[in-house]
Amino acid sequence: MSVRLEGQVVVLEGDCRIEEAEALLRALQEAPGAAVDMAGVRHLHAALLQILLSLRVPVASLPEEPLLRDHVGPSLERALGVAAG
Amino acid sequence: MSGHDDLLEPFLVEARDLIGRTRHDLARLADAPSDRGALEDLFRAIHTLKGSAALLELTVLARLLHGAETALERARSGALTAESGDTLARVLDVTEGWTDALEVGREPDERLLEAAGRLMRRLEGGESSLEEQPAQSAPAWAAVLTGDIASPERLVAIRYRPSPDAYFRGDDPLAVARAIPGLLKLSIAAEPAEDPVTYDPFRCTLQIEAVAQAPLEDVRAALRLVADQVELAAVAPVATAAGLQLRSLHVDAARLDAVAALVGELVVAKNALAHETRKLLARTAGVGEGRDLLAREASLERLVGDLHVAVTDLRLTPLRQLFARFPRQVREIADGLGKAVDLRTSGETVALDKSVVEGLFEPLLHLVRNAIDHGVETPDVRRAAGKPERATISLDAEARGAEVVIDVADDGRGIDVAAVRRSAIARGILDARAAEALSDAAAAELVFAQGFSTAGAVSDLSGRGVGMDAVRTSVARLGGQVSLANRPGKGLCVRLALPAEVLLQKILVVRSGLERFGVPLQTIRETHRVQRLEVTAVREGRAYVRRDTVIPLVRLNDLVGASTAEDAEVFPVLHVGAGEEQVGVQVDGIEERLEASMRPMSGLMAGYPGVLGTVLQADGQVLLVLDLAELAA
């Protein structure tokens, strides 16, 4: 299980596959306004990323993996910025 | 043009810089025609100039530069021929003339347009077509996407819109993006969810934009499985105003000056704090907290010093741009006088404070004009003297510790010392005996005396208005000094010695009556303590003797219009000036030395003779800094 809810934080870990998209969506529906902790993520399927982008989920921590850290993280921040503005 | 006014100024600054670089590169290539590095630098600079010209809709200039670029493209596969080098030098002349015209708000004149046309025909002589412009074909979205990326390489802009059923097809667009070679930039967006409860996570709404630094073919291959959802565009290296390959930033000089001024004030505040600390320590006899305060102050001092150095470095400007203005000047002046002159420069990378570099153009131009007009002989005279018909003028810069030395040398006739003596006598600067007594070197220095000119006939170019005295004065204003090395019949070398960094100057504070003045330490040869009894009357003036030299003596009080009660038994004298202009300036007291940033005079006071600038003191008072040699002249 690489999606779990800890209080107001959704924790993602390891290889997050498309099979986990519904679990992620459910977790976010259960805890509206929750942030996502991605520190342990190796790869994130685009469908999960799309959920985070569409629901404008704030990021609590980013993974070390370069593509996620350098490109996906800033993209998520931009999505939040659009919501704020 | 009117719509581009805000673009014009950065263009002019950039163009001057680039023209300077390209001239430098051409010189490198003249020595080593297949120097790859120089060829690449040259290509980039011309390409950038072309882009900027096109941006300003200077169509003819852009076409000319495009022609030059195409010629270089051909040379890239081999070497630059001397003929192409010559054509490129002329393209630069036209470009420079064009920017000069724009700078004063004029359109380029007929002569320039004609020259541009001629060069274009020469450049097109080959088979090349001016029409193919790959850079222009990139779509707007690609240009926007790559706009903020500094890369000398070709880029590929990628727009990837996965189809809505991508997830059902088994695609992972993020994994696809991960496979793009040379990925520089990736930006992913998705349609916002209207309601989390009804949100469909399996309908793909992603929009992905990316930039890759890789051959187009490689990018295409990596994306072949989603080719129907991808748009690709090759973008030529963008090198516009940002001067990309250097990773440099154009900052308005005024903003830099503002920062420098703030740092100057910080230094003053720090000095004031140091002053108070010392006072406090004197009271507490340096025990307990006083010592901690001293330690803190020492670290503050070091930090402020570092900051000062950092800001000073920001203002350092290489001489390249300044020197680059001279090839054309030399060509034009020499043509006007029917003389054949080559210009050689070295030390372009030596850097000086921006204000100094800017202030050097006029005096250097004057020296170069003088050299061509008065120094260099006509070709037939040179031939008769056994010299090459083409004269050589050189501008050489060299950093020597805290000083930068710039030599302006020619291989002309040098200063005719006898003529200088005659002229000085005729103008009443000296009497015949004094003139005879002068050494040849000292006599040559007479050209710096005010209102002096040795030219038999006043030519169109020099001798009018400004003379060597003006050169000396303007260099002094920059904190520098001028000296001569005269080799009669063989040439003249004028040496300008300038401070490498002008912000902090060592200043000696002297007293005249109740007033205090600053004198730059570097302008003082020595300080003497002179006894009243040593002073002898010489004609209307006074003088004293040091090491067998009679030094005229003047009172600072007289120079600044203060009154003198009676001379003390022994008084300090500042020995300033060189050669015939040396003089002892009697002051009422020498107070202290300080290191401070001097501001040049501005506004009404700018042209005030004898005043170099002002210094803000620790107590907030303004100190006038004097040029004693000029005051006493």
Side-chain angles (χ1 to χ4, degrees), chain B residues 188-203:
Chain B
I188 309 162
E191 270 177 29
E194 302 205 341
D195 178 357
V197 179
T198 58
Y199 182 72
D200 175 5
F202 298 113
R203 190 179 67 89

Side-chain angles (χ1 to χ4, degrees), chain B residues 251-490:
Chain B
V251 177
D252 187 351
R255 286 165 64 188
L256 213 53
D257 289 344
V259 174
L262 282 174
V263 172
E265 281 167 34
L266 189 61
V267 171
V268 172
K270 189 261 308 170
N271 285 347
L273 186 66
H275 190 62
E276 294 301 322
T277 309
R278 300 275 178 284
K279 269 179 21 197
L280 191 68
L281 280 179
R283 275 211 302 280
T284 61
V287 290
E289 287 165 353
R291 251 202 247 131
D292 296 343
L293 190 58
L294 204 60
R296 301 276 162 172
E297 194 225 304
S299 67
L300 178 66
E301 172 138 6
R302 205 179 47 245
L303 284 174
V304 170
D306 289 351
L307 179 61
H308 193 272
V309 169
V311 170
T312 309
D313 281 355
L314 282 182
R315 291 176 50 93
L316 286 179
T317 308
L319 286 166
R320 188 191 302 115
Q321 227 171 310
L322 176 69
F323 281 5
R325 297 175 71 174
F326 282 93
R328 184 162 143 256
Q329 298 284 356
V330 167
R331 253 196 296 273
E332 285 182 3
I333 298 167
D335 284 353
L337 291 165
K339 294 178 180 177
V341 180
D342 290 325
L343 178 72
R344 273 218 301 265
T345 60
S346 73
E348 283 89 348
T349 54
V350 172
L352 281 163
D353 189 84
K354 180 176 121 318
S355 62
V356 177
V357 173
E358 284 164 2
L360 274 174
F361 179 66
E362 284 297 328
L364 280 184
L365 181 61
H366 189 76
L367 291 173
V368 167
R369 276 181 180 158
N370 263 349
I372 301 174
D373 192 7
H374 305 312
V376 170
E377 312 88 336
T378 52
D380 43 325
V381 172
R382 290 181 65 88
R383 207 179 317 119
K387 292 182 179 182
E389 280 185 31
R390 295 189 72 82
T392 303
I393 289 183
S394 57
L395 290 174
D396 300 300
E398 197 188 333
R400 294 189 182 172
E403 255 186 2
V404 167
V405 170
I406 301 178
D407 286 340
V408 183
D410 64 66
D411 61 354
R413 61 168 72 91
I415 293 179
D416 179 347
V417 187
V420 169
R421 285 203 178 88
R422 280 198 302 277
S423 181
I425 296 166
R427 277 154 212 272
I429 295 171
L430 286 176
D431 61 31
R433 263 224 329 250
E436 242 2 89
L438 283 183
S439 68
D440 281 358
E445 300 258 348
L446 278 173
V447 296
F448 291 123
Q450 250 166 41
F452 194 92
S453 171
T454 52
V458 173
S459 87
D460 176 28
L461 287 161
S462 12
R464 256 189 222 162
V466 284
M468 290 295 274
D469 57 328
V471 171
R472 195 200 75 101
T473 308
S474 44
V475 172
R477 272 189 218 293
L478 302 173
Q481 287 175 316
V482 187
S483 59
L484 295 176
N486 184 33
R487 297 183 305 151
K490 291 185 181 155

